[in-house]
Amino acid sequence: WGPHNRGLLLATAAMKVEALCSQTEAYWFYWGWSRIYERMQKYFTSTEMREQGLELAGIDGPAMQVLDVGAGTGTLSMQVLRRGVLARNLTLLDQSPQMLQQAQAKPQLADSTFALADAHQLPFEDERFDRVMSSGVIYYFPDPVGALREQLRVTRRGGVVLAMGALQPKPAFVRFFATVFNRFPTETQYVAWFTEAGFSDVRTKYISNPWNSQQYALAICGTKGDDTPQPPRAAPPAAPSMGSRLRRL
């Protein structure tokens, strides 16, 4: 087991991480992951952890229009229903039809809107939502700043965008294997993404699961102020990639 083998393993790990940040490969990953996601979710996130982020962004109330980006099977959207948001004021967006189908099957979300779309080109008009939220999504975007600019574009003046994301695991052994499947931005990187995207009043909060309070994730939110420049709508890709063409077969 020499330097060449160690280098090969690290290169393979890096390829897997970047693959999940590619929309085409992520599509196929979630095609399989969607089958067990609901059963596995309790092992890496919790209602208590997400609640801390929702509180930071002030997501509650029946009049609030909310967009859930990377909504998956609807876990986060189900939680905001319990905070008083009406199902008819919820929009769930995901690029995985298999994940979104599971959300659509939940009776509590029957009155919600569902969008199968790319988070880098949101199919909504400017200043449509009071809150935009995501959990466990932002670090998978190929272009996190571009995706955040799109979220800023569809947020109303005075509205808030919230992202909840992992920080690097502390134990070295766990960290090595976790990075095979995930990116782990630092708090500084998260803040830089929000700042570059154009948000003001960027705030962060460490959040954790009740069974492991020493291992933090991060909730981060930014506001669209009255004087925030309105981002232009993101242009669609110039031409479909080979991967996207294969997905339609």
Side-chain angles (χ1 to χ4, degrees):
W1 183 259
H4 172 75
N5 302 88
R6 287 194 295 272
L8 181 61
L9 178 59
L10 290 171
T12 302
M15 287 173 62
K16 290 179 179 177
V17 171
E18 292 307 312
L20 283 183
C21 295
S22 161
Q23 290 155 316
T24 301
E25 282 75 11
Y27 172 91
W28 291 111
F29 173 81
Y30 284 107
W31 178 83
W33 182 235
S34 64
R35 300 163 187 258
I36 61 170
Y37 179 79
E38 296 259 291
R39 296 194 298 274
M40 297 297 295
Q41 192 179 42
K42 62 184 178 181
Y43 296 111
F44 51 87
T45 186
S46 65
T47 299
E48 292 87 348
M49 175 184 274
R50 295 186 297 271
E51 191 66 20
Q52 296 169 63
L54 295 172
E55 184 67 28
L56 178 68
I59 300 178
D60 54 47
M64 192 168 282
Q65 293 285 336
V66 179
L67 170 63
D68 187 352
V69 176
T73 60
T75 300
L76 189 59
S77 285
M78 291 285 289
Q79 193 159 335
V80 301
L81 292 179
R82 298 191 289 272
R83 295 179 65 86
V85 176
L86 300 180
R88 67 171 181 266
N89 291 339
L90 263 175
T91 299
L92 290 78
L93 179 141
D94 205 283
Q95 71 161 356
S96 168
Q98 293 82 13
M99 298 285 272
L100 212 53
Q101 283 164 10
Q102 293 195 40
Q104 288 175 298
K106 291 180 166 63
Q108 300 94 323
L109 297 172
D111 293 332
S112 300
T113 300
F114 297 87
L116 181 64
D118 180 358
H120 295 78
Q121 289 100 32
L122 297 177
F124 310 112
E125 67 272 19
D126 293 354
E127 302 189 352
R128 167 73 174 77
F129 300 99
D130 299 295
R131 297 290 188 274
V132 178
M133 61 183 187
S134 67
S135 179
V137 173
I138 187 172
Y139 39 75
Y140 289 126
F141 293 149
D143 179 10
V145 173
L148 284 169
R149 279 203 189 102
E150 270 291 270
Q151 294 178 37
L152 180 65
R153 178 182 67 80
V154 302
T155 302
R156 293 170 179 163
R157 302 284 169 181
V160 174
V161 170
L162 165 72
M164 290 178 275
L167 294 171
Q168 196 170 82
K170 293 177 182 179
F173 179 79
V174 176
R175 183 165 63 247
F176 174 79
F177 285 99
T179 52
V180 173
F181 300 102
N182 206 347
R183 281 176 171 167
F184 290 98
T186 64
E187 181 178 0
T188 300
Q189 288 173 313
Y190 280 112
V191 171
W193 288 346
F194 268 72
T195 302
E196 186 178 348
F199 290 95
S200 60
D201 189 27
V202 177
R203 293 171 288 136
T204 63
K205 180 179 182 179
Y206 294 123
I207 59 178
S208 62
N209 290 310
W211 64 82
N212 188 7
S213 60
Q214 300 305 308
Q215 178 60 56
Y216 298 113
L218 189 76
I220 178 168
C221 65
T223 301
K224 185 175 187 176
D226 291 338
D227 56 352
T228 300
Q230 175 66 19
R233 191 172 194 136
S241 66
M242 177 61 74
S244 65
R245 289 196 292 268
L246 287 173
R247 277 169 48 182
R248 290 197 293 266
L249 294 179

